[in-house]
Amino acid sequence: MSNDSLGGIGFGGDLPWRRIVVGAAALGLVVLAVAGLLAPESDAGRLLDILTAQSTLAATLRLSVPIAFAALGGIFAEKSGVINIGLEGLLIIAAFSGVYLADVTGSAWMGVLGGVVASTVLAALFAVVCIEFQADQIIAGLAVWLIALGLAPFASQVVYGGPNTTSVETVGTLTIPVLSEIPFFGALFNATPFVYLMFVAVALSWYVINRTTFGRWVRASGENPKALDTAGVDVHHVRYAAVLLSGVLAGVGGAALSLSLGQFTGNGPTMVNGKGFIAIVAYLFGNYNPVGAFLSTVLFAGLDALQLTLQARDVFDIPQPLVRTIPYLTVIVVLALFGRTRTPAAAGDHYESGDD
């Protein structure tokens, strides 16, 4: 299947050295598997046990949810020509609002709705500042992050007496009998509804962007807004819709993060802890394709799940600070070797009807 058939996933390439690297990585995995099977008590055996554990896949799926939803939102915004680096802030405000509404109403799903509304309102403010008043999109995005980073813990301090909220009802897991007992892949059948929503959102986002009129408008708004304007479509309306959609998607991700745990923690960088910025890397690595962004997200989340397990089990005699860098270092290496991103031509540019 070609890149074009999937809308241009930004992986791989035709250079021989890239194939050599992929081949070496595949050979390394095969050697690890063989060594682990032959010597289960060895370091290779213990690592293979972790990699193939159902809990590892379950953690990967859980960690993927907020990043994937934020990445999908970022794709819509940036493909329309608006660079939304405030995704981190949208996740933070949604995470707190979701817990607060769940606490007030007693319903976790009302909390999800509250998180989506709060994130969308903040995204709307960002859209007005960037589209109507033509503010610098990078600065405005940073402002969204800083506002949420200060506002959510402050609101928690006011309401709950500290940066961390009380525990609320969580969104439970959906378990399919028998299938959930399958080794490793059973985690797919014993997950929260947010995991299944993530799969649906990825598929729908790909379809909307590549197969609908709205998706064509979004792409045209980011590539050639003048042509879209000439065709009689209001560029500002398209960009507003795309940014608001990014707020909705990030809102689901933020609410999923906090309501899966039943609490918002606002210490330091908050419980979001950079997931919005990782989402930006994910969709850039995926070349603005929802499927590519999802695969990038799973790569990072899987490595994150691996390092968390390594720390918890203390399998190898490796300093924990070094173990924590595994996901970030791997992503940097993969980006350097295989990253191939083409930014929309008009991303970050302001547009007024009648501009030449």
Side-chain angles (χ1 to χ4, degrees):
M1 183 176 290
S2 67
N3 275 358
D4 291 341
S5 65
L6 286 178
I9 294 178
F11 296 102
D14 298 326
L15 295 179
W17 62 267
R18 285 178 174 170
R19 295 181 181 178
I20 292 173
V21 171
V22 172
L27 179 61
L29 290 175
V30 171
V31 171
L32 172 65
V34 172
L37 291 172
L38 294 176
E41 299 303 318
S42 65
D43 287 346
R46 289 192 289 270
L47 180 57
L48 182 64
D49 180 59
I50 292 173
L51 291 174
T52 57
Q54 189 181 110
S55 60
T56 300
L57 179 58
T60 298
L61 294 173
R62 174 176 54 83
L63 293 169
S64 294
V65 171
I67 300 173
F69 274 105
L72 294 175
I75 289 172
F76 277 99
E78 195 155 336
K79 267 192 167 293
S80 76
V82 180
I83 302 173
N84 186 1
I85 68 166
L87 295 173
E88 179 86 356
L90 299 183
L91 288 175
I92 292 172
I93 206 70
F96 170 76
S97 300
V99 170
Y100 175 70
L101 264 294
D103 186 24
V104 171
T105 64
S107 167
W109 288 108
M110 286 301 295
V112 174
L113 178 61
V116 170
V117 170
S119 175
T120 306
V121 169
L122 191 55
L125 176 62
F126 168 75
V128 170
V129 170
C130 292
I131 299 172
E132 192 67 30
F133 295 102
Q134 300 188 358
D136 183 283
Q137 295 173 8
I138 303 300
I139 295 175
L142 289 173
V144 167
W145 167 48
L146 293 173
I147 288 171
L149 184 62
L151 181 60
F154 174 74
S156 180
Q157 183 75 43
V158 171
V159 177
Y160 298 102
N164 303 334
T165 66
T166 57
S167 297
V168 299
E169 176 188 354
T170 62
V171 175
T173 59
L174 297 177
T175 302
I176 301 177
V178 181
L179 293 178
S180 62
E181 301 301 320
I182 299 174
F184 189 68
F185 292 107
L188 291 168
F189 308 100
N190 185 27
T192 68
F194 296 120
V195 170
Y196 304 116
L197 283 175
M198 174 179 65
F199 291 134
V200 172
V202 170
L204 282 179
S205 295
W206 182 90
Y207 180 81
V208 169
I209 289 173
N210 295 287
R211 294 290 185 269
T212 67
T213 300
F214 175 69
R216 289 193 292 271
W217 290 350
V218 168
R219 298 200 310 271
S221 177
E223 294 290 348
N224 193 341
K226 179 64 177 178
L228 185 64
D229 189 18
T230 302
V233 179
D234 192 308
V235 174
H236 282 190
H237 288 176
V238 173
R239 290 185 172 182
Y240 272 119
V243 175
L244 290 176
L245 185 55
S246 76
V248 171
L249 289 166
V252 175
L257 176 63
S258 59
L259 291 173
S260 293
L261 301 175
Q263 185 183 33
F264 171 80
T265 56
N267 293 317
T270 77
M271 67 189 306
V272 175
N273 196 27
K275 291 179 175 60
F277 297 115
I278 295 168
I280 296 174
V281 174
Y283 74 70
L284 289 175
F285 185 26
N287 202 19
Y288 299 95
N289 181 287
V291 178
F294 171 69
L295 294 177
S296 304
T297 296
V298 171
L299 170 64
F300 182 87
L303 293 169
D304 200 17
L306 174 62
Q307 67 90 7
L308 289 172
T309 305
L310 289 176
Q311 288 188 73
R313 297 190 184 183
D314 196 20
V315 177
F316 307 110
D317 187 20
I318 303 175
Q320 290 197 359
L322 184 60
V323 173
R324 284 195 290 269
T325 66
I326 289 175
Y328 306 97
L329 290 176
T330 305
V331 167
I332 289 173
V333 171
V334 172
L335 278 173
L337 292 175
F338 302 101
R340 188 180 61 186
T341 301
R342 193 188 73 79
T343 305
D349 295 340
H350 302 295
Y351 181 79
E352 285 292 339
S353 181
D355 284 355
D356 293 330

